[in-house]
Amino acid sequence: MIQHIEKIDGIIDELLVQLGQMVMRLSHPSVTRTREEREALTRSVRQYALCAASSRDPRVLRLAEQLDDTLKPRLRLVASRN
């Protein structure tokens, strides 16, 4: 019974890795340009984070962190000429 649970857990982790990679591709600025697209991305990242929270797979946890970083505002360096 435990082997079956571990096998299912591994399959779910593989699916989460694939899903995380898809969401990561969607997080690229050339893909999510409008406000609605960014809001959809935010929902997807949050839903992924909820699923990833119960995983022990380091790939899943790493993707969750990387996806969370995509929601943070991008800072631009502006040089002033005085």
Side-chain angles (χ1 to χ4, degrees):
M1 181 70 170
I2 292 177
Q3 290 176 335
H4 293 299
I5 292 172
E6 289 174 356
K7 184 176 181 179
I8 292 170
D9 192 45
I11 292 169
I12 291 171
D13 284 335
E14 288 301 321
L15 290 172
L16 282 171
V17 168
Q18 292 176 21
L19 178 63
Q21 291 170 343
M22 285 189 280
V23 175
M24 186 63 76
R25 284 191 293 276
L26 293 173
S27 72
H28 194 274
S30 67
V31 177
T32 54
R33 291 178 273 200
T34 67
R35 183 179 60 100
E36 292 83 9
E37 290 169 340
R38 291 291 300 168
E39 289 171 357
L41 174 65
T42 300
R43 284 191 302 275
S44 295
V45 170
R46 289 185 178 151
Q47 289 174 343
Y48 184 85
L50 287 173
C51 295
S54 61
S55 175
R56 289 178 279 148
D57 188 315
R59 300 170 302 160
V60 173
L61 300 174
R62 191 173 330 110
L63 275 166
E65 287 178 24
Q66 291 171 346
L67 286 168
D68 188 50
D69 288 343
T70 66
L71 299 180
K72 296 176 183 171
R74 291 178 176 84
L75 300 177
R76 291 184 287 166
L77 182 61
V78 178
S80 78
R81 296 181 185 187
N82 290 334

